[in-house]
Amino acid sequence: MQVLMFTGASGSSLQIYGALFIFLVTYAFIISEKISRAIVALLGALAMVIFGIVRLESALFEYVEWGTIVLLIGMMILVTIANQSGLFEYIAIRAAKKTKGDPVKILILLSGLTALGSAFLDNVTTVLLIVPITFSITKVLKIKPFPFLLAEVLFANIGGTATLIGDPPNIMIGAANPHLTFNAFLLNLAPVIVLITIVTIGILYMIFRKHLHVEPEDQQKLMEIDENSYIVSRKLVTRSSIVLVSTIALFVIHPLLSRIGLHLEAPAIAILGATILMLLTIENNHQLEEVFARVEWTTIFFFAGLFILVGGIQEVGVIRFLAEKTITLTGGDIQTTATAVLWLSGIASATIDNIPFVATMIPLINDVATGIGLSPDSQQVDVLWWSLSLGACLGGNGTLIGASANVIVAGLATRQGEKFTYGRFLLYGAPITIVTLIISQLYLWIRYY
């Protein structure tokens, strides 16, 4: 069978078709949203294990990205405790008053903060910090939070594309190519990300301008609010602020710490911050149980199931087949291959987890470079790495399950009673993703060809 020839997979054709069937059926149920996303993802993951497509050991210890899950849990605990102090309400009111309650300025402010934060922090961490502030602002101004939440999802993925540490695909690409330094990512990707940011804000304004309206009396009420009245406990605010700022600082400098032998990766930093804050603020088991109860366990289990589900089609070689086939069709031409990598990465990242896809593409790009007589670290090949980064990161905005930040925001929105469905996100996310990929394509042509 041709699929097996391309993939070299050890599974039978029955396993290949079985994995695809399970993935597509599960995906269809996720889109329909008739059953909880978490339940559907777990059922799909179990089907992959029960039918022998993925061994249980591989599912749990190879495909489930425990680093992501630990990072999520740690940051959720941190944000939960900080939120109990009134800190986010205080920041929200202060920020909104600076804009005089103008919703357009607030949209631009929150979008910019999200993009900037995601460039230097994990995008999941960024949205976990920004979203509570958003809900507080929109509640005071009596406006729908969806346009702001959508913007934050989009800019979490857009901003993360600009730097080496902003998004997992970039970290993986940088690790595989030591010559692609932090400054190299910044100089090559930041210019197009700035352009994409401006265009995206313009698109969002055109779409939602009729919804970005606040009654004058609500603006006046906002300006009269004393933000200090939202502070529940100054001691808790102080401790929460210190731990949050310290945690964020560690996120930023952790690459430097690794060089001196301190292996504090992002998940360890998040759990360290959460543990220290619990130690400083939790006085009894009841408080501890309340904090754990506020963790978005539905989202956590959805991620676990989704990781195994994608692991199933990775196990039988489907992802590798698609990547190999695309590069084979380009004939090794750098310009054509870069275009194919950009769009394949964008489409794939919108439908499956971009981490296994990028892990598959890295050795393939190295093989293409060697096959045409170029070194993988040559300047001519660098355009393939930039194409992979842009496609994998920006493609996450295509669907609700395209990136971790999307799912997190959807879960937080649901808890607040806000409708943030797959279809509603797709309506806005997919067209904007296509626009950003077109801009990326033009940028690659102009700068590198």
Side-chain angles (χ1 to χ4, degrees), residues 332-375:
D333 177 71
I334 289 291
Q335 183 173 338
T336 309
T337 302
T339 299
V341 168
L342 173 70
W343 287 95
L344 176 64
S345 302
I347 294 169
S349 296
T351 51
I352 60 176
D353 187 6
N354 54 19
I355 292 175
F357 178 81
V358 171
T360 301
M361 287 297 293
I362 286 173
L364 289 177
I365 290 176
N366 285 330
D367 289 346
V368 168
T370 304
I372 58 178
L374 295 172
S375 170

Side-chain angles (χ1 to χ4, degrees), residues 137-159:
I137 292 174
T138 54
K139 191 177 296 182
V140 170
L141 293 176
K142 298 179 182 177
I143 51 177
K144 290 289 186 181
F146 180 79
F148 303 91
L149 298 177
L150 176 67
E152 286 153 14
V153 167
L154 296 174
F155 285 106
N157 296 315
I158 290 170

